[in-house]
Amino acid sequence: MKKLGFGCMRFPLLDENDVKSIDKPQVEAMFDRFLEQGFTYVDTAYPYHEGESERVVKAALVDRYPREAYKLATKLPTFLLKEKEDCARYFNEQLEKTGAGYFDYYLIHCLTTDLYEMAKKCDAFAFAAAMKAEGKVKEFGFSFHDTPEKLDEILTAHPEVDFVQLQINYLDWEAPNVQSRGCYEVARKHKKEIVVMEPVKGGSLIRVPDEVAATFKEADPNRSIASWAIRFAASLDGVRMVLSGMSNTEQMEDNLSYMDAFEPLSKAEMDMVLRAGEQIRKTIAIPCTACEYCVAGCPMHICIPDYFKLYNERKQTLSAGKSKAYDELSATHGKASACVACGQCEGICPQHLPIIENLRLVAETFEG
């Protein structure tokens, strides 16, 4: 397979304030272009777009192409499990929602220390292995958001998994809250192939500081900023696929342009990109990827990632005073100061961010 996968967490929207308002005609056109160029890997999950992603995959892909034309990955919603029977219930619901008949790749979703305990309680690994034995799953693995030590523990306990999905990008390679390099090295120690998620960290590695952008343009003026991030991940030994959450046709065309005939980064280019990551880390106040896992369960309906984006922009530009964008968002969502510190957001955050404290900083900045 070609190494670029279509991540279905950030489909184009008709209304930027409504994650369910997916632009289906544009998604159809994007799938058409993707498959036309010989790419086949499509990655979705139960919670993406508040449950709509799997349905749109059915309408835009499954119903329009023969089953052998694509490889489909989706994920067991570990954070919704309560008992063993839930594994089969969600799996069957996903088969119905996608209409795919079987899944080429099935993942236990978003394993952290706490969610791994729930996966063990509900026998999620045994369930995935049983679905593989029945032919309803071709390969199974898990996506992971925790420490290298926890990954080593899980892979030691479950050598039967076929692959792992890790957050790897040049910004998080040495970041203490993600530890991309450490997790990558553990996966390779266990001889597992890797699917990479968040290679551009939710868009953070597209909008880089001017001095970093200048370095990339000097190295190759014909390549986009995003290309360095995706090619970095794809250049690592053992990486079978790099997922890109393409949100419009322009992003897709850019990705296809350099992943169709993929060329790995040279050693000098890898070093340059990692130095860029060190520079960028110093400029980002809150390293949020805007995955929105925190939003669905917020009792105060706070648009957490949007507020963090505004806060980061404020810190980078050193501006001050009222924010029209914040006022408009808080008119239809809970204000940052409305946080009741229930902690559900911090429990699900893949980046392990101190969200409650960060919302306090947002409130002080834009409401004070």
Side-chain angles (χ1 to χ4, degrees):
M1 287 187 294
K2 295 183 177 182
K3 277 192 172 185
L4 178 68
F6 194 146
C8 301
M9 188 169 75
R10 298 183 175 94
F11 277 143
L13 301 175
L14 297 172
D15 178 356
E16 290 300 319
N17 295 314
D18 180 5
V19 297
K20 290 186 175 183
S21 67
I22 298 169
D23 185 345
K24 294 176 185 176
Q26 186 173 176
V27 173
E28 288 183 0
M30 292 171 73
F31 276 131
D32 291 345
R33 184 76 176 106
F34 189 71
L35 296 179
E36 175 187 282
Q37 287 295 106
F39 295 87
T40 58
Y41 195 107
V42 176
D43 174 270
T44 184
Y46 190 88
Y48 292 175
H49 287 276
E50 296 185 9
E52 287 301 304
S53 179
E54 289 177 327
R55 292 190 179 93
V56 170
V57 166
K58 180 180 189 300
L61 178 69
V62 176
D63 290 348
R64 299 174 61 244
Y65 283 92
R67 185 62 183 84
E68 65 272 14
Y70 57 87
K71 305 289 186 182
L72 182 60
T74 194
K75 308 174 187 73
L76 179 70
T78 322
F79 36 83
L80 297 177
L81 299 180
K82 293 182 173 58
E83 54 190 11
K84 292 181 182 180
E85 292 74 17
D86 288 340
C87 293
R89 180 166 64 85
Y90 285 116
F91 182 83
N92 290 331
E93 181 183 347
Q94 290 174 294
L95 281 177
E96 181 179 356
K97 283 171 68 177
T98 62
Y102 63 90
F103 298 119
D104 298 280
Y105 310 102
Y106 197 66
L107 298 90
I108 301 168
H109 199 179
C110 196
L111 287 190
T112 60
T113 296
D114 291 342
L115 290 177
Y116 178 50
E117 292 304 311
M118 182 56 67
K120 289 194 293 184
K121 174 186 172 184
C122 296
D123 284 344
F125 285 86
F127 173 79
M131 293 302 96
K132 180 180 176 181
E134 292 181 20
K136 295 178 180 178
V137 168
K138 301 303 181 184
E139 293 188 28
F140 87 92
F142 59 89
S143 60
F144 181 79
H145 291 281
D146 213 293
T147 65
E149 292 76 17
K150 179 57 64 172
L151 180 60
D152 190 45
E153 175 188 334
I154 296 173
L155 288 176
T156 299
H158 296 283
E160 72 275 16
V161 301
D162 297 299
F163 66 99
V164 293
Q165 185 162 307
L166 302 176
Q167 177 171 319
I168 294 178
N169 56 68
Y170 67 80
L171 182 64
D172 289 327
W173 192 244
E174 300 291 355
N177 64 312
V178 179
Q179 300 184 70
S180 285
R181 178 179 60 80
C183 290
Y184 166 79
E185 291 173 351
V186 167
R188 296 308 293 151
K189 182 185 81 169
H190 286 269
K191 297 180 171 57
K192 300 300 179 185
E193 290 195 331
I194 298 164
V195 174
V196 172
M197 56 185 158
E198 298 290 1
V200 294
K201 199 170 175 67
S204 299
L205 299 182
I206 298 174
R207 301 176 295 275
V208 300
D210 290 344
E211 61 270 24
V212 173
T215 297
F216 288 153
K217 287 301 181 183
E218 181 179 352
D220 191 332
N222 297 318
R223 293 197 184 276
S224 67
I225 301 300
S227 72
W228 293 99
I230 292 178
R231 289 175 64 228
F232 167 81
S235 297
L236 296 169
D237 180 56
V239 168
R240 66 156 62 163
M241 190 62 54
V242 178
L243 304 176
S244 178
M246 296 171 277
S247 299
N248 54 55
T249 53
E250 291 77 17
Q251 290 178 8
M252 171 163 284
E253 289 299 336
D254 178 55
N255 287 351
L256 297 181
S257 70
Y258 52 82
M259 291 302 288
D260 191 18
F262 170 66
E263 296 179 10
L265 296 183
S266 67
K267 174 64 165 60
E269 289 173 327
M270 292 287 276
D271 291 343
M272 175 191 70
V273 166
L274 288 172
R275 287 195 300 271
E278 294 174 4
Q279 287 181 268
I280 297 169
R281 268 198 303 278
K282 298 173 183 177
T283 71
I284 299 178
I286 304 175
C288 171
T289 66
C291 70
E292 298 195 339
Y293 289 6
C294 59
V295 174
C298 177
M300 306 310 291
H301 307 291
I302 301 171
C303 51
I304 299 167
D306 297 289
Y307 289 163
F308 287 174
K309 179 182 177 183
L310 293 177
Y311 183 81
N312 284 337
E313 290 172 351
R314 173 64 60 92
K315 291 301 179 182
Q316 288 173 337
T317 60
L318 302 177
S319 56
K322 298 284 288 182
S323 166
K324 181 181 178 182
Y326 181 83
D327 291 343
E328 289 176 348
L329 279 169
S330 61
T332 54
H333 300 81
K335 291 185 175 182
S337 59
C339 173
V340 295
C342 67
Q344 77 80 30
C345 54
E346 293 188 356
I348 197 65
C349 177
Q351 311 306 315
H352 309 288
L353 298 177
I355 294 176
I356 296 169
E357 172 62 18
N358 287 335
L359 284 174
R360 185 186 65 78
L361 294 175
V362 172
E364 289 178 354
T365 300
F366 295 111
E367 299 176 31

